[in-house]
Amino acid sequence: MTSLWELYITFFKVGIMTFGGGYAMLPILQREVVENKGWATEAELADYYAIGQCTPGVIAVNTATFIGQKTKGVAGGIIATLGVVSPSLLIIIALAKIISNFANLAIVKNAFAGIRACVCVLIFNAVCKLWKSSVIDKITFIIFLTVCLCSLILNISPVFFVLLAAISGIVIKQVEARKK
Amino acid sequence: MIYLRLYYEFFKTGLFAIGGGLATLPFLNNMADTTGWFTRGQLADMVAVSESTPGPMGVNMATYVGFTTANIPGAIIATLGLITPSIIIILIIAAFLRAFKNNQYVIAAFYGLRPASTALIAAAGIGVIEIALFNEQNTGNFVSFLQSANIKAIVLAIIIIILTRFIPQTKKWHPIIFIMISAVVGMIFHFAGV
C-alpha cells in the first residue's frame, strides 16, 4: 500500500532531478513512477501529458496531480504536487539569499550547456518509449507525423493539436465501427 | 495586503497560462508592469536562474518572483497560488476520466490523443536540440546553421546516446547520473565558451 509520505518523497525526488520545463521531467517520471513504482503506465503518461498541455497551469504540476490522484485519490493529488514544488521552494530561496547573479557565473553557464546536451538525448529516449505505447498502427503514425511537423513549422498552440487529435480519434473509430 | 494580492496574481497566472513554464512569461511581464513589484529587467534575470536550477521552470519562476516581492512567505504563497488552479482542474478531469474510462468515445479520443501527445513532446525535444547543440549566432541559412554547431555538445550527446541505448551496463543507470556527468563535462570543457 502506497503511503502519502512515499508519494511526497518520490515527487520531491522527481522535482529535484528535473532541469528545465515539464518535458525534461518525462525521462525522470518514466524511471521513478513507471519503472520503479509502477504507479502509471507509459500509455497513461502520454495521456497525462496530452491533457496537461491543453489545460491551464504548468505541465509538471498537472502531471504530478494526475499521478497522485490515481495513486491516492484527492489527497494524493495534492501531496504529489506539493512534493514536486518543494525542491523549487527550498533551492530558489537558498540561492536568492546567497547570490543574485547565479545564472551569470561562468561555471553555472558551462554546467548547464552540458546538462542541456544531455537533456535533449534523454527527451529523445523518452519519446522512443512513449512511441511504443502510442504509435501502434498506420493511423496513429500519420497523426504523429502530422502533429510533429505542423507544430515545428506552424506557430500554433498545442491546445489546437490536442483537441483535433481527440476528435480525429473519435471520428476514425466511428468510421471503423461502421465498416464492420 | 500583499500576500493576498500575490496569491491572486499567481492564481490568475496558473489559471490562464496554458502549455508549460514559458507560457507564464507574458503574465509575469504584465505583473511587472501593473504591480511594480519587480522590473522586466529583474524578470529576465529570474528566468535565467529558473532555467539553471533544479525543478520545473514555471514553479521556479513563481517561487523566485514571490521571494523577490515578499521574502519567504511570498515565495510560498506565490507557488501555492500558481498550483491551486491546476490541482482543482486536474482533480475534476481525473474524476471525470475515472467515471468514463470504459466509454467508447473516451477510448477513441485517447487513441488519437496519445500519438499527438508524443508528437508534441518530440517537437519540443527538437526545439531543445536547437538550443543545446547549436549556437545562437547563425543567420538563418543552412550553411551558417551547420557552422554554428557546438561540436563539444554534439560529441557529448552522441556519447550519451551510446551509453543510454546501446551499452547494457550503463543503459540501466538513472537519468540523473547522466545529467550530473554532463554538468561536470560541461564545466571541465567550457561548453558555454566562457
Side-chain angles (χ1 to χ4, degrees):
Chain A
M1 197 57 195
T2 307
S3 66
L4 286 174
W5 176 245
E6 196 183 350
L7 206 55
Y8 180 84
I9 287 295
T10 304
F11 275 92
F12 189 97
K13 272 164 71 185
V14 170
I16 213 167
M17 290 188 286
T18 299
F19 289 86
Y23 298 110
M25 196 170 98
L26 181 58
I28 311 289
L29 277 178
Q30 283 175 329
R31 176 58 62 105
E32 292 292 333
V33 172
V34 178
E35 290 165 27
N36 287 356
K37 301 286 181 189
W39 289 339
T41 63
E42 295 281 352
E44 282 167 334
L45 269 193
D47 297 349
Y48 299 156
Y49 266 80
I51 296 166
Q53 284 178 92
C54 64
T55 46
V58 183
I59 297 173
V61 170
N62 293 351
T63 314
T65 308
F66 252 124
I67 298 168
Q69 196 276 346
K70 196 206 162 203
T71 317
K72 272 299 225 180
V74 173
I78 295 168
I79 292 293
T81 306
L82 291 178
V84 90
V85 304
S86 296
S88 295
L89 277 169
L90 296 174
I91 291 165
I92 295 282
I93 289 170
L95 275 181
K97 281 210 156 171
I98 302 164
I99 24 173
S100 53
N101 61 344
F102 173 78
N104 292 322
L105 297 174
I107 192 163
V108 175
K109 279 188 169 174
N110 285 324
F112 272 85
I115 288 176
R116 271 197 292 272
C118 178
V119 165
C120 68
V121 174
L122 295 179
I123 293 178
F124 170 74
N125 290 344
V127 167
C128 291
K129 282 187 193 167
L130 281 188
W131 172 283
K132 284 178 200 154
S133 60
S134 61
V135 181
I136 47 176
D137 51 26
K138 264 187 213 152
I139 291 166
T140 45
F141 179 71
I142 293 167
I143 294 176
F144 175 88
L145 213 60
T146 314
V147 173
C148 192
L149 289 176
C150 289
S151 80
L152 279 174
I153 298 163
L154 312 170
N155 192 13
I156 302 177
S157 160
V159 181
F160 172 77
F161 294 113
V162 167
L163 291 177
L164 200 66
I167 295 166
S168 314
I170 294 170
V171 171
I172 290 162
K173 285 287 170 194
Q174 282 294 310
V175 172
E176 276 181 2
R178 292 245 168 93
K179 274 184 189 165
K180 275 170 197 168
Chain B
M1 176 84 176
I2 188 142
Y3 297 133
L4 266 177
R5 182 82 197 278
L6 204 54
Y7 185 85
Y8 168 74
E9 289 291 339
F10 275 92
F11 186 95
K12 237 169 46 184
T13 305
L15 186 59
F16 293 113
I18 297 180
L22 277 179
T24 62
L25 201 50
F27 293 90
L28 296 178
N29 272 324
N30 181 264
M31 213 185 286
D33 297 343
T34 55
T35 64
W37 287 336
F38 47 89
T39 64
R40 284 193 179 214
Q42 275 178 297
L43 189 60
D45 293 340
M46 290 191 248
V47 172
V49 172
S50 301
E51 283 180 320
S52 326
T53 43
M57 224 194 92
V59 179
N60 289 349
M61 300 231 285
T63 307
Y64 204 168
V65 170
F67 184 83
T68 309
T69 311
N71 224 298
I72 294 176
I76 296 170
I77 285 161
T79 306
L80 290 179
L82 181 79
I83 65 177
T84 310
S86 283
I87 294 179
I88 295 169
I89 292 166
I90 296 294
L91 286 178
I92 293 169
I93 294 177
F96 172 84
L97 283 182
R98 179 160 297 182
F100 293 96
K101 74 172 179 219
N102 295 321
N103 178 290
Q104 56 157 328
Y105 294 106
V106 172
I107 293 169
F110 276 108
Y111 168 83
L113 264 184
R114 279 175 193 160
S117 169
T118 309
L120 287 171
I121 297 166
I126 292 169
V128 180
I129 290 177
E130 225 174 290
I131 298 165
L133 306 185
F134 295 89
N135 299 318
E136 284 154 32
Q137 56 269 42
N138 70 77
T139 48
N141 68 52
F142 189 65
V143 177
S144 80
F145 180 69
L146 287 184
Q147 281 168 345
S148 75
N150 183 341
I151 304 295
K152 292 182 211 168
I154 292 174
V155 171
L156 176 66
I158 292 170
I159 294 171
I160 293 170
I161 289 177
I162 295 168
L163 291 176
T164 51
R165 300 191 69 84
F166 300 109
I167 302 192
Q169 289 88 345
T170 54
K171 240 171 120 169
K172 291 190 196 73
W173 287 3
H174 197 287
I176 192 68
I177 296 173
F178 296 107
I179 292 173
M180 288 296 133
I181 293 173
S182 304
V184 173
V185 170
M187 286 191 275
I188 294 173
F189 294 99
H190 297 271
F191 267 40
V194 286

